[in-house]
Amino acid sequence: MQQEKKYSAEELIGQIKLEMSLRMTTAEYMLWVYPTELYSYEGQQMTLIVPSENAASTLYSNYLGLFLTVVKDLKLPVTDFVFILEKDKENLPKAPQKEEKKEEKVNPFVQKYTFENYVIGLSNRMAVMTAHTVAENPGVNDALLSLNPFYLYGGVGLGKTHLLHAIGNYLFEHNPSLNVIYVSADRLSNEYFSSLNKYNTDKDSYRNFYHKYAECDVLMVDDIQFLQKKGGLQEVFFHIFNDLYQNGKQIILSSDRPPKEINDLEERLRTRFMWGMTTDIGLPEYETRINIIMKKLEGSSATLSEEVICYLAEKVNTNVRELEGALLKVLMYSQLTHKEASIETVKEALKEQTRDAAEQIDSDKIINTVSEYFNIPSSDLIGKKKTKEIVEARMVAVYLICELLNLPLVTIGQIFGGRDHTTIMYSRDKISNLVSTDKNIRRTIEDIKNSLNCR
Ligand code: ADP
Ligand code: MG
């Protein structure tokens, strides 16, 4: 039994809002939930002050269900929400009578993680197509093409979890009688070990664990790279996998890497993971990033100029999660300051992010990183040697210092053993031109920036 925790009303609403923000589009959240304020919390009823009639009616009609699902999922002691206007504080309406509870199946999947909300681009097209096919025909294999298991991999923040939930949401809507389970490998491990621990007092605990997973219709395990090897978990998972597979049940796995690169994985599981379809998701390209921003703004009153959208899409090119975070910051910033977001406000809003990165970088760090990348001693980078390799690496270092640090050319000349500022300028411009024409150089610069942890 989990211990009932005592929360203050502020803590409660804090947790609820955080969870809501994860389950709604950024724009919806900013528009409707973010501006609500706690008024009271009594007898498990939470009363929130909202800024307008329109907000109250939207919250009641569109989001009350989500509020209730969230408190249920988080097991928080709230059973009802009331939204009131500031001016109504005095004559509070009575809490609406509770309706008879119908036993309804609750959708366990994150509501906003749907196919409709998923932007398709070159980097994820195969993954989305496969996910769609699997959602339409789970567990069905034809002789030529097996989609069981569906193994999806890619870097952090690129939309794997979103896609798994999209499959779940689709099945919940179109195939509600199916027993579809989504679980992270971490959670699976915890459940497994706790079922073993309970064995002394509850002989059925392990059996229940096993049946729950081996007898479902669709099993999705997120971040399978975290499936622990110790304690027999992988062996158990091997049997679960076989049961499901033999019964024509669909297995869907996600990971940050392909099966052959997971170190701590039993060989027989590795081969099984490769039986079906393995697809990767890559970094979204610029156009897709633009479309993602547009999608996140869709259906809200928040707007951004094309210029600002392009600027964001250009600057935040690491992953979609960070792109969303940056967008949220910009929207919040412009809401708080009542300023329409301009390039300037975006810079201001993202300043912390960029300043943090910039603060840790200095010329030494850049030179050392370049030195490591090219495997050339840093003394040679700032020295006089003129072999082709050294000259190229030196120019790259100069270019990066010019670009990342706001230093006078003369100072940079001094860093590089007292070179003339025109030499520095020449190197900078040379690489700068190459970056726009030469893929390899662009790649090199990107790689080094990545190791410097900046964009
Ligand atoms: P991962 O599981 O790969 O680390 P997530 O699925 O958690 O990534 O995605 C991170 C965030 O980015 C989520 O909010 C998700 O909705 C969003 N996201 C990722 N890819 C897309 C996409 N193609 N279209 C719309 N949103 C996306
Ligand atoms: Mg994930």
Side-chain angles (χ1 to χ4, degrees):
M1 249 316 263
Q2 227 183 349
Q3 191 80 9
E4 273 265 317
K5 289 200 201 94
K6 281 255 182 288
Y7 295 108
S8 73
E10 280 77 19
E11 282 168 343
L12 278 175
I13 189 62
Q15 285 198 42
I16 294 168
K17 280 188 167 180
L18 177 65
E19 187 66 21
M20 295 285 291
S21 75
L22 299 173
R23 300 191 188 195
M24 299 170 72
T25 68
T26 305
E28 285 171 329
Y29 175 78
M30 288 308 295
L31 203 56
W32 306 117
V33 177
Y34 176 75
T36 62
E37 276 172 33
L38 178 68
Y39 173 64
S40 67
Y41 169 59
E42 273 166 42
Q44 309 222 328
Q45 172 178 301
M46 188 159 264
T47 304
L48 300 173
I49 299 180
V50 302
S52 68
E53 300 266 4
N54 183 26
S57 71
T58 307
L59 284 163
Y60 275 121
S61 52
N62 298 351
Y63 300 108
L64 181 58
L66 187 57
F67 269 100
L68 293 171
T69 309
V70 162
V71 290
K72 186 162 175 221
D73 289 352
L74 299 182
K75 301 199 170 60
L76 298 177
V78 182
T79 52
D80 209 353
F81 289 89
V82 177
F83 305 105
I84 60 164
L85 294 177
E86 179 84 39
K87 68 175 169 54
D88 293 337
K89 270 202 295 203
E90 305 315 318
N91 39 13
L92 250 184
K94 276 244 155 40
Q97 276 319 93
K98 277 230 219 64
E99 285 170 35
E100 279 290 299
K101 274 252 162 70
K102 282 184 259 138
E103 252 328 308
E104 242 179 67
K105 201 173 158 192
V106 182
N107 183 349
F109 302 102
V110 176
Q111 263 177 30
K112 67 171 180 175
Y113 286 172
T114 58
F115 283 120
E116 289 74 34
N117 289 338
Y118 200 81
V119 175
I120 303 179
L122 283 177
S123 52
N124 60 24
R125 201 157 56 191
M126 268 306 286
V128 179
M129 275 168 49
T130 313
H132 244 297
T133 313
V134 166
E136 278 167 3
N137 286 309
V140 175
N141 284 321
D142 66 43
L144 286 177
L145 180 66
S146 165
L147 300 182
N148 206 13
F150 170 30
Y151 187 102
L152 173 69
Y153 71 91
V156 54
L158 295 181
K160 301 181 296 293
T161 299
H162 185 138
L163 263 191
L164 297 195
H165 280 265
I167 297 174
N169 277 311
Y170 185 96
L171 287 169
F172 187 82
E173 191 182 333
H174 294 90
N175 221 335
S177 60
L178 286 189
N179 178 9
V180 181
I181 299 186
Y182 165 93
V183 67
S184 66
D186 247 350
R187 165 95 185 262
L188 190 74
S189 308
N190 288 340
E191 280 184 29
Y192 169 69
F193 289 114
S194 101
S195 82
L196 291 187
N197 285 339
K198 276 195 249 150
Y199 189 75
N200 278 337
T201 49
D202 174 6
K203 292 272 182 285
D204 286 335
S205 58
Y206 171 72
R207 200 153 18 122
N208 291 341
F209 166 84
Y210 189 87
H211 288 318
K212 170 175 168 192
Y213 291 106
E215 286 168 13
C216 65
D217 297 305
V218 177
L219 178 60
M220 303 194 258
V221 185
D222 207 354
D223 290 316
I224 192 77
Q225 74 274 13
F226 294 130
L227 193 74
Q228 291 185 22
K229 198 165 192 177
K230 65 165 209 259
L233 176 59
Q234 289 194 2
E235 185 176 347
V236 169
F237 192 72
F238 171 78
H239 293 296
I240 292 176
F241 187 105
N242 289 343
D243 283 1
L244 291 170
Y245 190 85
Q246 278 154 19
N247 293 321
K249 307 299 187 186
Q250 180 71 48
I251 302 152
I252 303 170
L253 307 166
S254 92
S255 173
D256 65 347
R257 64 197 75 183
K260 63 174 186 305
E261 288 172 26
I262 305 182
N263 291 329
D264 253 356
L265 188 64
E266 285 183 13
E267 218 38 52
R268 53 184 183 169
L269 274 181
R270 193 192 313 281
T271 45
R272 271 167 182 72
F273 289 177
M274 297 190 293
W275 274 355
M277 180 69 157
T278 301
T279 315
D280 73 321
I281 302 191
L283 279 170
E285 64 284 23
Y286 176 71
E287 277 73 25
T288 309
R289 297 202 294 275
I290 298 230
N291 292 336
I292 289 175
I293 298 177
M294 311 268 266
K295 183 59 122 189
K296 306 273 164 198
L297 290 169
E298 223 169 64
S300 90
S301 66
T303 55
L304 289 178
S305 68
E306 201 179 314
E307 194 192 14
V308 167
I309 294 177
C310 294
Y311 183 79
L312 269 173
E314 189 190 312
K315 288 292 167 196
V316 189
N317 57 7
T318 42
N319 66 53
V320 184
R321 186 171 298 145
E322 293 203 3
L323 187 63
E324 270 191 332
L327 175 64
L328 184 64
K329 266 197 185 159
V330 169
L331 291 179
M332 281 205 191
Y333 187 88
S334 78
Q335 196 189 41
L336 292 176
T337 56
H338 303 291
K339 281 195 228 158
E340 169 130 356
S342 63
I343 299 274
E344 287 316 306
T345 39
V346 175
K347 281 188 185 157
E348 191 68 22
L350 301 184
K351 203 157 80 187
E352 255 169 61
Q353 217 162 306
T354 32
R355 195 183 335 105
D356 285 352
E359 254 168 17
Q360 297 149 8
I361 297 173
D362 55 24
S363 58
D364 278 347
K365 187 155 179 202
I366 295 176
I367 289 173
N368 289 334
T369 309
V370 172
S371 142
E372 261 173 47
Y373 184 87
F374 288 101
N375 204 5
I376 291 172
S378 31
S379 55
D380 282 347
L381 289 181
I382 53 179
K384 301 268 180 258
K385 284 191 195 157
K386 286 218 165 83
T387 65
K388 185 166 170 287
E389 287 78 7
I390 293 179
V391 170
E392 187 188 319
R394 185 180 294 139
M395 292 203 296
V396 165
V398 168
Y399 167 82
L400 283 167
I401 289 178
C402 290
E403 202 204 15
L404 299 176
L405 309 177
N406 193 10
L407 292 177
L409 293 176
V410 181
T411 311
I412 301 177
Q414 283 158 359
I415 293 170
F416 285 86
R419 285 183 160 79
D420 191 64
H421 77 277
T422 51
T423 317
I424 299 300
M425 208 153 66
Y426 172 81
S427 303
R428 178 196 65 192
D429 295 344
K430 172 101 196 237
I431 299 292
S432 170
N433 285 331
L434 281 176
V435 164
S436 48
T437 55
D438 181 333
K439 226 169 49 206
N440 292 331
I441 282 282
R442 191 156 60 231
R443 190 67 208 252
T444 301
I445 298 287
E446 266 169 23
D447 285 347
I448 298 175
K449 279 188 182 173
N450 276 337
S451 350
L452 283 164
N453 215 349
C454 66
R455 279 163 242 133

